[in-house]
Amino acid sequence: MRNYTIPNLFLDAFGLKVNQLYRPEITKGYPDKPTGLFTGMEIVENINESFETSGKGTPILFPVIFSEGNYKRYNDKGELVNKKMGDFRLPIASVVSFRRDKIMSQTKINGGRGSVKEIYGFDDWQVTINGFLIPDSSQPQGFINPLQQEKELIKWDDLASSIEVFGELFTLRKIKNLTIKGVSFEPMRGKPNIRTFTINALSDEPIELNIKSGI
């Protein structure tokens, strides 16, 4: 029987292997020095200095927040209406992947090797968020059980507009908004209170058009 641990869950669900865990020392009141994969990590001596902590008092690394605001959605009549959304911090057991291509044309060289590349710009960031819906007493908006978290994610997926996103990993790539392409939910065999989720999204930048009128 496999142990019920986050590394094993990521391996079973997404094929992501985590070789070592970093466990803060509780008795001493400050974290142990990390080793192995975590060599070179900056240690926060005071746990209260971390951005956010879990229900166990451990720091949450790179939390992702869908920001509150007025968004658009379609009602039952197919009409576009406003929808007020509050902040939603995604489940703590979430991993974000990023991929971006350059927009370019390639011209083959007759009788030569390689090609001539003309770069026109950058494509959108392709963002994938994999994670688990698990009981979380530290969820700041009160979505403690997996069913509540899944219902809230579906509400964000129902929106017909881009979503303002907050998180250090997104700020690093100058991503302020995401457009969700799709969301999937899967059960985990033998773990009835855990469900996996995957969000596929694209970065989105608001475009403002200034129209000059000749009238």
Side-chain angles (χ1 to χ4, degrees):
M1 179 181 296
R2 294 184 63 85
N3 293 329
Y4 176 9
T5 63
I6 293 298
N8 286 338
L9 289 177
F10 271 106
L11 181 61
D12 291 342
F14 307 113
L16 179 62
K17 187 175 182 180
V18 180
N19 293 325
Q20 298 186 24
L21 284 175
Y22 172 48
R23 298 182 176 90
E25 176 59 49
I26 302 300
T27 58
K28 298 178 182 177
Y30 57 88
D32 281 340
K33 292 183 178 180
T35 58
L37 296 178
F38 298 97
T39 301
M41 178 188 295
E42 181 182 354
I43 299 176
V44 178
E45 297 290 347
N46 183 358
I47 200 169
N48 293 322
E49 294 178 6
S50 62
F51 180 81
E52 189 177 347
T53 57
S54 69
K56 301 296 184 181
T58 56
I60 298 175
L61 300 179
F62 307 120
V64 179
I65 299 173
F66 289 167
S67 299
E68 66 174 351
N70 289 309
Y71 296 96
K72 299 290 185 181
R73 67 176 296 272
Y74 287 103
N75 62 17
D76 295 337
K77 298 179 180 180
E79 302 168 335
L80 204 59
V81 296
N82 290 324
K83 174 66 175 178
K84 175 67 175 179
M85 300 291 291
D87 283 340
F88 176 53
R89 194 261 283 141
L90 269 63
I92 56 177
S94 300
V95 174
V96 188
S97 302
F98 299 88
R99 181 179 180 274
R100 183 178 68 176
D101 295 326
K102 287 187 173 72
I103 301 173
M104 67 171 69
S105 66
Q106 294 179 254
T107 304
K108 300 294 183 181
I109 301 176
N110 293 331
R113 298 180 180 178
S115 61
V116 177
K117 289 85 172 174
E118 296 178 79
I119 299 176
Y120 298 102
F122 294 89
D123 206 344
D124 297 323
W125 282 101
Q126 300 178 44
V127 181
T128 302
I129 305 175
N130 291 317
F132 300 96
L133 305 174
I134 59 178
D136 179 13
S137 61
S138 68
Q139 215 291 329
Q141 289 80 43
F143 303 112
I144 296 175
N145 65 60
L147 181 58
Q148 291 173 321
Q149 298 168 25
E150 183 170 342
K151 287 180 177 179
E152 185 65 14
L153 277 175
I154 292 174
K155 290 180 182 179
W156 286 95
D157 184 43
D158 284 341
L159 298 178
S161 58
S162 63
I163 297 168
E164 185 177 353
V165 64
F166 174 79
E168 186 176 348
L169 295 177
F170 295 90
T171 302
L172 179 65
R173 294 164 176 82
K174 299 181 180 179
I175 299 174
K176 296 181 179 180
N177 295 79
L178 288 179
T179 296
I180 296 178
K181 295 176 59 180
V183 177
S184 63
F185 303 94
E186 298 290 341
M188 291 201 68
R189 185 169 57 182
K191 300 177 177 63
N193 206 28
I194 299 177
R195 290 174 63 81
T196 68
F197 74 92
T198 298
I199 299 174
N200 292 309
L202 296 174
S203 63
D204 195 10
E205 295 185 14
I207 298 177
E208 296 182 2
L209 298 177
N210 295 322
I211 301 176
K212 292 184 178 180
S213 176
I215 299 177

